């Protein structure tokens, strides 16, 4: 019974959070800001990743099995968070995990372009130097969004 109540509480929390798609609700922006700053990241960069990944749609699902705002695969999610894969769709968890994962990838690469490429294609692809063209386009799309939101280019 207790497990059923936990599941119900999880889905009620998810439903209470704005079902954004194509815009950033205030509650999700505040969460993005809080988690980004907690990991020492620019909130606009984290937001640009989430925007590129899911358009801030918590229910987003990718073709390869990615889920949630940060579009995590199950294995990456568990390695990054230690949380059950079902939690990938929870906006708060997903924003926290996105910021945490970006910080880890930057620590591993020392370069934001490479960290973004690793977010998309995996750290193995970056370390091997085999970054797909689609990932290079992804990095440019994230950075273009970031620069626009920061008032640049």
């Amino acid at each position: 019974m207790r497990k059923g109540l936990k599941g119900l509480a999880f889905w009620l929390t998810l439903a209470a959070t704005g079902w954004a798609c194509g815009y950033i609700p205030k509650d999700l922006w505040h969460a993005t800001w809080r988690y980004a700053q907690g990991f020492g990241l620019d909130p606009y960069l984290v937001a640009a990743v989430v925007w590129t990944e899911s358009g801030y749609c918590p229910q987003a699902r990718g073709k390869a099995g990615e889920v949630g705002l940060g579009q995590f695969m199950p294995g990456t999610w568990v390695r990054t968070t230690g949380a059950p894969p079902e939690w990938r769709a929870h906006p708060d968890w997903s924003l926290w995990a996105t910021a945490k994962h970006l910080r880890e990838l930057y620590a591993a690469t020392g370069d934001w372009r490479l960290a973004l490429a690793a977010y998309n294609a995996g750290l193995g692809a970056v370390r091997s130097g085999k970054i797909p063209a689609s990932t290079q386009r992804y990095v440019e799309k994230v950075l273009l969004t970031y620069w626009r939101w920061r008032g640049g280019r």
Side-chain angles (χ1 to χ4, degrees), residues 39 79-81 95-105:
F39 285 103
R79 280 191 308 278
T80 301
T81 67
L95 292 171
W96 174 81
T98 300
K100 181 179 189 290
H101 194 43
L102 279 173
R103 171 50 65 196
E104 292 169 346
L105 293 171

Side-chain angles (χ1 to χ4, degrees), residues 3-56:
K3 188 176 182 181
L5 289 176
K6 274 186 165 178
L8 179 60
F10 169 81
W11 289 109
L12 286 174
T13 302
L14 183 63
T17 303
W19 286 97
C21 283
Y23 73 99
I24 307 173
K26 196 174 187 179
D27 61 331
L28 295 183
W29 173 246
H30 288 300
T32 302
W33 189 272
R34 183 174 62 249
Y35 296 131
Q37 288 189 318
F39 285 103
L41 302 175
D42 184 331
Y44 290 101
L45 181 61
V46 176
V49 168
V50 173
W51 185 264
T52 302
E53 289 288 342
S54 67
Y56 268 87

Side-chain angles (χ1 to χ4, degrees), residues 111-151:
D111 179 277
W112 281 113
R113 284 182 177 274
L114 294 178
L116 292 170
Y119 192 95
N120 183 257
L123 194 51
V126 169
R127 286 187 171 150
S128 72
K130 297 179 180 173
I131 301 172
S134 61
T135 295
Q136 293 170 13
R137 288 188 300 275
Y138 167 86
V139 170
E140 293 308 316
K141 186 174 181 181
V142 170
L143 291 175
L144 180 61
T145 301
Y146 169 73
W147 289 321
R148 283 184 179 158
W149 288 352
R150 291 292 298 181

